[in-house]
Short mmCIF file of all heavy atoms in Angstrom, two decimals:
data_model
loop_
_atom_site.label_atom_id
_atom_site.label_comp_id
_atom_site.label_asym_id
_atom_site.label_seq_id
_atom_site.Cartn_x
_atom_site.Cartn_y
_atom_site.Cartn_z
N ASN A 110 -26.02 19.62 -283.67
CA ASN A 110 -25.13 20.75 -284.01
C ASN A 110 -23.84 20.33 -284.69
O ASN A 110 -23.23 21.14 -285.39
CB ASN A 110 -24.76 21.54 -282.75
CG ASN A 110 -25.96 22.07 -281.98
OD1 ASN A 110 -27.07 22.04 -282.47
ND2 ASN A 110 -25.72 22.58 -280.80
N THR A 111 -23.42 19.08 -284.48
CA THR A 111 -22.09 18.65 -284.97
C THR A 111 -22.22 17.51 -285.98
O THR A 111 -21.74 17.62 -287.11
CB THR A 111 -21.22 18.13 -283.77
OG1 THR A 111 -21.23 19.11 -282.74
CG2 THR A 111 -19.79 17.89 -284.26
N PRO A 114 -24.92 17.88 -289.33
CA PRO A 114 -24.40 18.64 -290.45
C PRO A 114 -23.19 18.00 -291.13
O PRO A 114 -23.02 18.13 -292.36
CB PRO A 114 -24.02 19.98 -289.85
CG PRO A 114 -24.00 19.80 -288.37
CD PRO A 114 -24.91 18.64 -288.06
N ASN A 133 -21.15 26.82 -292.07
CA ASN A 133 -21.51 26.14 -290.83
C ASN A 133 -21.70 27.16 -289.70
O ASN A 133 -20.79 27.93 -289.41
CB ASN A 133 -20.43 25.10 -290.46
CG ASN A 133 -20.47 23.92 -291.38
OD1 ASN A 133 -21.54 23.58 -291.93
ND2 ASN A 133 -19.35 23.28 -291.59
N LEU A 134 -22.87 27.10 -289.05
CA LEU A 134 -23.16 28.07 -287.98
C LEU A 134 -22.47 27.69 -286.69
O LEU A 134 -22.90 26.78 -285.98
CB LEU A 134 -24.68 28.13 -287.74
CG LEU A 134 -25.45 29.18 -288.59
CD1 LEU A 134 -25.25 30.57 -288.02
CD2 LEU A 134 -25.06 29.13 -290.03
N ALA A 135 -21.40 28.41 -286.44
CA ALA A 135 -20.66 28.24 -285.18
C ALA A 135 -21.24 29.19 -284.14
O ALA A 135 -22.39 29.61 -284.26
CB ALA A 135 -19.17 28.48 -285.42
N GLN A 161 -19.16 22.84 -276.62
CA GLN A 161 -18.32 21.78 -277.19
C GLN A 161 -18.80 21.38 -278.57
O GLN A 161 -17.98 21.15 -279.49
CB GLN A 161 -18.33 20.55 -276.28
CG GLN A 161 -17.59 20.76 -274.98
CD GLN A 161 -17.28 19.45 -274.26
OE1 GLN A 161 -17.20 18.41 -274.86
NE2 GLN A 161 -17.08 19.53 -272.96
N SER A 162 -20.12 21.35 -278.76
CA SER A 162 -20.65 20.94 -280.06
C SER A 162 -20.24 21.96 -281.14
O SER A 162 -19.97 21.60 -282.29
CB SER A 162 -22.17 20.78 -280.03
OG SER A 162 -22.83 22.03 -279.97
N LYS A 163 -20.17 23.24 -280.78
CA LYS A 163 -19.83 24.28 -281.76
C LYS A 163 -18.36 24.24 -282.09
O LYS A 163 -17.95 24.45 -283.19
CB LYS A 163 -20.27 25.66 -281.25
CG LYS A 163 -21.80 25.83 -281.19
CD LYS A 163 -22.38 25.75 -282.61
CE LYS A 163 -23.89 26.03 -282.62
NZ LYS A 163 -24.49 25.93 -283.96
N ARG A 164 -17.54 23.97 -281.06
CA ARG A 164 -16.11 23.87 -281.31
C ARG A 164 -15.84 22.65 -282.21
O ARG A 164 -15.03 22.69 -283.13
CB ARG A 164 -15.36 23.71 -279.99
CG ARG A 164 -13.88 23.49 -280.22
CD ARG A 164 -13.06 24.44 -279.40
NE ARG A 164 -11.70 24.02 -279.25
CZ ARG A 164 -10.67 24.88 -279.19
NH1 ARG A 164 -10.92 26.18 -279.33
NH2 ARG A 164 -9.46 24.49 -279.08
N ALA A 165 -16.57 21.55 -281.98
CA ALA A 165 -16.42 20.36 -282.78
C ALA A 165 -16.83 20.63 -284.23
O ALA A 165 -16.22 20.08 -285.17
CB ALA A 165 -17.23 19.22 -282.17
N LEU A 166 -17.84 21.46 -284.38
CA LEU A 166 -18.28 21.81 -285.76
C LEU A 166 -17.15 22.56 -286.50
O LEU A 166 -16.90 22.30 -287.68
CB LEU A 166 -19.56 22.70 -285.66
CG LEU A 166 -20.13 23.23 -286.96
CD1 LEU A 166 -20.92 22.17 -287.69
CD2 LEU A 166 -21.05 24.41 -286.65
N ILE A 167 -16.50 23.47 -285.79
CA ILE A 167 -15.39 24.23 -286.41
C ILE A 167 -14.26 23.27 -286.75
O ILE A 167 -13.65 23.38 -287.82
CB ILE A 167 -14.90 25.34 -285.44
CG1 ILE A 167 -16.00 26.40 -285.23
CG2 ILE A 167 -13.63 25.99 -286.00
CD1 ILE A 167 -15.69 27.40 -284.13
N MET A 168 -14.01 22.29 -285.87
CA MET A 168 -12.93 21.33 -286.10
C MET A 168 -13.15 20.47 -287.30
O MET A 168 -12.28 20.28 -288.14
CB MET A 168 -12.72 20.50 -284.83
CG MET A 168 -12.16 21.33 -283.66
SD MET A 168 -12.22 20.42 -282.09
CE MET A 168 -10.84 19.30 -282.26
N TRP A 169 -14.41 19.92 -287.44
CA TRP A 169 -14.60 19.06 -288.63
C TRP A 169 -14.61 19.90 -289.91
O TRP A 169 -14.24 19.38 -290.97
CB TRP A 169 -15.78 18.11 -288.48
CG TRP A 169 -17.20 18.56 -288.60
CD1 TRP A 169 -18.16 18.51 -287.64
CD2 TRP A 169 -17.90 19.08 -289.77
NE1 TRP A 169 -19.37 18.98 -288.11
CE2 TRP A 169 -19.26 19.33 -289.41
CE3 TRP A 169 -17.51 19.37 -291.08
CZ2 TRP A 169 -20.20 19.83 -290.32
CZ3 TRP A 169 -18.48 19.88 -291.97
CH2 TRP A 169 -19.78 20.08 -291.59
N SER A 170 -15.02 21.16 -289.78
CA SER A 170 -15.05 22.04 -290.96
C SER A 170 -13.60 22.23 -291.48
O SER A 170 -13.38 22.17 -292.68
CB SER A 170 -15.64 23.40 -290.62
OG SER A 170 -16.94 23.26 -290.09
N ARG A 171 -12.71 22.43 -290.53
CA ARG A 171 -11.27 22.62 -290.91
C ARG A 171 -10.75 21.34 -291.55
O ARG A 171 -10.06 21.39 -292.61
CB ARG A 171 -10.44 22.93 -289.66
CG ARG A 171 -10.56 24.32 -289.13
CD ARG A 171 -10.18 24.43 -287.67
NE ARG A 171 -9.03 23.68 -287.28
CZ ARG A 171 -7.78 24.21 -287.13
NH1 ARG A 171 -7.57 25.46 -287.36
NH2 ARG A 171 -6.76 23.42 -286.78
N SER A 186 -16.75 28.23 -291.30
CA SER A 186 -17.52 28.36 -290.06
C SER A 186 -17.77 29.84 -289.78
O SER A 186 -16.87 30.67 -289.93
CB SER A 186 -16.72 27.80 -288.88
OG SER A 186 -16.34 26.47 -289.14
#
Side-chain angles (χ1 to χ4, degrees):
N110 302 351
T111 310
N133 288 332
L134 269 284
Q161 289 196 24
S162 74
K163 290 297 185 182
R164 176 129 163 145
L166 177 78
I167 295 171
M168 291 168 76
W169 76 242
S170 304
R171 284 160 41 99
S186 305

